[in-house]
Amino acid sequence: MKVFRLFVLIFFATAILQLYLWTTFPYVDEAHWVRDSEKIASGVALTPLDITYVHPGTTIVFPASALIFFGVQPKIAVPIVLSFLVALCVALSGVLAYLIRPQYLWWVALVLILASDIRFLNVTPPTALASVLVVLYFLLLIRKREAQVSD
């Protein structure tokens, strides 16, 4: 139960902070991500002329399009999706770091660095998401390796 509470706390704190960052400051290619999300929400298929066409970032565009379809403002929909996905990855990373070394507080530093990193705004949205996914991936590898060593 303690781990679940830790996850929820990290998730909501990170989501609020990330939502503030993504809605307050401009980010790279903001107009492209918003425009392409609007196109999909209105039923228009993306073409090779669209910057996000067959881009791995469609994991951001499609959920944002769904929010737009249900009435969320386009300039807010993309930051909501980004905030949710980044917060999910940060919370999972924080909990994993805690589980790897519960006797140390290094997981707090990891969460603070990832949750408040303003450099996310200097890269495209999928790159910001990929950066926290890489951290999560390596923590999963460390956890797996430690499980093998203890066996």
Side-chain angles (χ1 to χ4, degrees):
M1 192 64 161
K2 179 180 181 179
V3 173
F4 178 72
R5 278 191 239 147
L6 183 63
F7 172 82
V8 170
L9 175 70
I10 295 170
F11 176 81
F12 282 112
T14 303
I16 291 167
L17 182 58
Q18 285 293 310
L19 190 59
Y20 170 75
L21 291 174
W22 288 107
T23 56
T24 304
F25 302 103
Y27 53 91
V28 176
D29 294 338
E30 178 178 358
H32 298 296
W33 295 97
V34 171
R35 183 185 62 240
D36 289 354
S37 296
E38 283 181 295
K39 283 178 85 171
I40 293 169
S42 66
V44 177
L46 298 179
T47 68
L49 299 175
D50 297 308
I51 196 169
T52 62
Y53 178 71
V54 298
H55 190 285
T58 54
T59 55
I60 296 165
V61 172
F62 282 108
S65 298
L67 290 175
I68 294 167
F69 181 79
F70 289 110
V72 175
Q73 293 296 318
K75 284 192 73 95
I76 301 297
V78 174
I80 288 172
V81 171
L82 284 167
S83 301
F84 174 82
L85 293 174
V86 169
L88 180 64
C89 291
V90 170
L92 289 171
S93 296
V95 167
L96 264 174
Y98 171 78
L99 292 173
I100 291 169
R101 295 277 188 278
Q103 66 274 25
Y104 300 109
L105 292 177
W106 75 290
W107 62 272
V108 174
L110 180 136
V111 168
L112 289 174
I113 290 168
L114 291 178
S116 63
D117 197 350
I118 199 160
R119 292 175 295 177
F120 289 152
L121 304 173
N122 296 324
V123 296
T124 61
T127 305
L129 180 58
S131 64
V132 290
L133 281 171
V134 167
V135 172
L136 181 59
Y137 176 73
F138 277 101
L139 288 169
L140 286 168
L141 289 176
I142 291 169
R143 176 92 167 146
K144 182 176 173 28
R145 176 72 175 144
E146 288 199 350
Q148 290 173 344
V149 170
S150 66
D151 288 341

